[in-house]
């Protein structure tokens, strides 16, 4: 331990984090082709077996607006099935206790649907509702004013709790809105408090349009005001290619929960599915809608893993899943880790130049020798070194 120990510099930084997988919901909602029910089940189950403990499964909104999730109950039934529970048990995972399955339920009818599914034994453990600090963005997503929605959310939290379902309150447009532009961080802090005041279980702090700046102070503001890292979840999009910097800033501030999607999939709900235009949430906000997905789950796990932070995943298995996802989607996705991998612990000896061993023997050096033999084994610097040595 030295004064340069990472946790001495950033004492709030966690040594263990929870990383959620939201691929089969948020990731798939932006795809303009229907992703099969079998694929959704496969990736959801495989992610859990690879270490995921917070999985966002589907959206319970009207299939007319989001037909990508017309199979919501089928997917949830498979995730809650006895067959899958047995697979989990063989992997020493208690599906009912160890894993939290979430469904998105933006409006009250979807919350009611979640409750009915719970009664049938296929309901979610947690649901999600969302407010935006920008009233225009909020209206585009929900069709209500903010005041109307807060009242609806309060009702929904109470009825969900009675059914044994937790509520995640999402705060969006924290750093900016694609409709109204710049927003105030202080508004998002206030909205977070509002969610907790009406009984939310946790808060998803969402950068839905990639506005977050890796150098911002938002998560420090959040944890200064509400210092419970387990209650806060970081949700980032990658439109500016700096989400990894924002992840690091959030870690340094003390955030211990993150989420991402395989391949960096996701974004605004699709307004086209297969060969048919659909409603979605209207026209896309971006010039090129292919580059608006979330932080890439594979790359996020490699980043956290190589920082020495515990995360609970089999990273190699997730990289394997990422390669399969490219086949499912049918195009090159945005993960760099599935191609470039992690730092190889054993190196890549096949790339070495031949002849080093013979050269060592020829010049009379010892195997493993790194400096001239006449040099001292330990380095001792004098009083002056580097730029100081040049000062008169």
């Amino acid at each position: 331990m030295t004064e340069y120990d990472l946790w001495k510099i950033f004492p709030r930084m966690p040594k263990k984090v929870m990383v959620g997988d939201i691929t089969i919901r948020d990731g798939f909602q932006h795809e303009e082709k229907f992703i099969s029910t079998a694929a959704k089940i496969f990736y959801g189950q495989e992610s859990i077996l690879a270490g995921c403990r917070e999985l966002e499964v589907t959206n319970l909104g009207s299939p007319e607006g989001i037909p990508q999730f017309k199979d919501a109950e089928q997917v949830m039934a498979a995730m809650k099935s006895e067959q899958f529970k047995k697979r989990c048990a063989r992997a020493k995972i208690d599906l009912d206790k160890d894993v939290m399955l979430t469904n998105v339920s933006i409006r009250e009818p979807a919350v009611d649907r979640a409750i009915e599914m719970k009664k049938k034994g296929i309901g979610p453990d947690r649901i999600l509702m969302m407010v935006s600090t920008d009233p225009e963005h909020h209206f585009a997503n929900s069709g209500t004013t903010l005041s109307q929605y807060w009242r609806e959310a309060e009702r929904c939290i109470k009825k969900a709790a009675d059914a044994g379902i937790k509520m995640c309150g999402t705060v969006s447009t924290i750093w900016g809105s694609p409709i109204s532009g710049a927003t105030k961080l202080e508004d998002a802090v206030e909205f977070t408090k509002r969610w907790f005041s009406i009984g939310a279980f946790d808060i998803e702090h969402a950068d839905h349009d990639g506005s977050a700046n890796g150098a911002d102070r938002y998560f420090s503001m959040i944890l200064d005001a509400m210092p419970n890292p387990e209650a806060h979840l970081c949700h980032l999009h990658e439109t500016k290619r700096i989400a990894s910097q924002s992840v690091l800033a959030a870690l340094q501030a003390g955030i211990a929960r993150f989420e991402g999607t395989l391949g960096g999939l996701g974004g605004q709900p699709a307004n086209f599915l297969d060969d048919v235009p659909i409603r979605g949430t209207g026209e896309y906000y971006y010039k090129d809608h292919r580059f608006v997905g979330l932080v890439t789950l594979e790359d996020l796990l490699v980043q956290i893993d190589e920082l020495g932070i515990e995360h609970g995943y089999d990273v190699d298995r997730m990289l394997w899943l990422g390669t399969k996802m490219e086949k499912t989607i049918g195009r090159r996705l945005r993960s760099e880790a599935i191609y470039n991998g992690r730092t190889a612990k054993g190196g890549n000896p096949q790339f070495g130049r031949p002849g080093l061993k013979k050269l060592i023997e020829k010049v009379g050096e010892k195997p493993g020798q790194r400096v001239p033999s006449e040099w001292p084994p330990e380095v001792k610097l004098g009083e002056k070194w580097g730029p100081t040595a040049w000062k008169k």
Side-chain angles (χ1 to χ4, degrees):
M1 299 287 284
T2 74
E3 62 180 297
Y4 295 109
D5 180 84
L6 201 55
W7 279 270
K8 283 193 173 183
I9 301 172
F10 303 107
R12 282 182 168 184
M13 193 165 77
K15 293 188 177 181
K16 181 179 181 180
V17 297
M18 178 70 75
V19 180
D21 182 353
I22 60 175
T23 306
I24 63 173
R25 199 288 299 177
D26 205 332
F28 287 168
Q29 78 172 13
H30 191 56
E31 292 305 300
E32 293 185 339
K33 72 169 186 175
F34 182 76
I35 307 300
S36 73
T37 304
K40 291 167 185 164
I41 294 168
F42 172 81
Y43 285 105
Q45 293 185 348
E46 286 297 319
S47 183
I48 288 171
L49 293 170
C52 175
R53 296 296 176 264
E54 293 186 356
L55 184 79
E56 197 169 278
V57 181
T58 192
N59 189 322
L60 299 180
S62 170
E64 291 182 9
I66 44 169
Q68 183 68 259
F69 304 109
K70 62 187 178 183
D71 56 2
E73 294 196 22
Q74 291 173 268
V75 177
M76 280 300 295
M79 298 305 299
K80 292 276 189 175
S81 68
E82 290 302 316
Q83 181 183 13
F84 183 52
K85 287 181 182 180
K86 290 177 181 177
R87 286 186 70 196
C88 288
R90 288 195 292 270
K92 301 189 185 312
I93 301 167
D94 186 327
L95 186 65
D96 294 324
K97 294 180 179 179
D98 298 338
V99 181
M100 184 160 62
L101 300 179
T102 297
N103 292 176
V104 171
S105 55
I106 298 298
R107 299 300 307 276
E108 193 163 4
V111 174
D112 292 337
R113 186 180 178 192
I115 293 169
E116 289 305 309
M117 288 168 61
K118 190 78 171 179
K119 292 176 182 176
K120 293 189 288 186
I122 60 169
D125 307 302
R126 174 174 169 261
I127 54 178
L128 179 150
M129 295 182 75
M130 185 184 81
V131 295
S132 303
T133 60
D134 170 27
E136 290 289 349
H137 186 268
H138 179 83
F139 177 71
N141 278 341
S142 69
T144 72
T145 69
L146 280 165
S147 295
Q148 288 176 311
Y149 195 84
W150 281 120
R151 294 188 188 99
E152 183 176 324
E154 186 175 28
R155 286 195 308 272
C156 288
I157 287 174
K158 290 177 180 177
K159 64 167 69 174
D162 289 342
I165 302 174
K166 302 177 177 72
M167 177 69 78
C168 174
T170 294
V171 179
S172 184
T173 61
I174 295 169
W175 293 269
S177 164
I179 299 175
S180 301
T183 54
K184 295 180 180 179
L185 300 180
E186 290 79 6
D187 289 344
V189 176
E190 180 200 341
F191 276 26
T192 300
K193 292 178 179 178
R194 296 281 181 191
W195 272 121
F196 283 134
S197 73
I198 60 174
F201 172 74
D202 59 354
I203 307 300
E204 177 190 71
H205 301 271
D207 174 29
H208 278 137
D209 70 339
S211 295
N213 183 335
D216 74 62
R217 56 196 172 88
Y218 174 71
F219 286 111
S220 292
M221 293 168 63
I222 284 293
L223 288 173
D224 283 347
M226 291 156 279
N228 180 355
E230 292 184 357
H232 304 286
L233 173 61
C234 177
H235 173 111
L236 298 168
H237 281 238
E238 184 70 290
T239 55
K240 296 191 293 189
R241 284 297 193 191
I242 62 168
S244 61
Q245 298 174 43
S246 295
V247 167
L248 187 58
L251 283 167
Q252 291 168 351
I255 294 295
R257 291 174 67 204
F258 297 84
E259 58 190 12
T261 59
L262 289 169
L265 290 168
Q268 191 175 355
N271 58 23
F272 215 92
L273 192 66
D274 295 330
D275 57 354
V276 182
I278 58 174
R279 187 172 74 238
T281 53
E283 292 301 312
Y284 297 140
Y285 300 139
Y286 311 99
K287 294 178 182 177
D288 192 331
H289 67 271
R290 295 172 298 172
F291 300 98
V292 297
L294 279 95
V295 60
T296 303
L297 182 57
E298 304 97 309
D299 299 3
L300 173 63
L301 288 172
V302 168
Q303 178 184 6
I304 288 172
D305 188 67
E306 295 192 353
L307 281 170
I309 297 173
E310 186 180 344
H311 49 74
Y313 277 85
D314 179 337
V315 177
D316 291 327
R317 189 167 181 174
M318 292 302 292
L319 294 178
W320 177 81
L321 273 181
T323 64
K324 299 305 175 189
M325 183 60 74
E326 291 201 340
K327 290 189 174 185
T328 294
I329 300 300
R331 66 177 186 273
R332 168 73 161 93
L333 301 179
R334 294 190 299 161
S335 170
E336 300 300 327
I338 65 169
Y339 289 96
N340 300 318
R342 306 151 78 185
T343 300
K345 299 292 190 294
N348 296 284
Q350 70 272 25
F351 300 133
R353 178 179 169 183
L356 177 58
K357 184 177 180 180
K358 288 184 179 180
L359 178 60
I360 290 171
E361 292 174 354
K362 181 179 178 180
V363 299
E365 292 184 4
K366 297 177 180 179
Q369 184 175 327
R370 298 169 63 90
V371 298
S373 58
E374 67 271 19
W375 285 17
E378 293 185 11
V379 179
K380 293 184 179 180
L381 295 175
E383 291 184 6
K384 292 186 176 182
W385 51 274
T388 306
W390 291 84
K391 291 181 179 179
K392 294 183 179 179

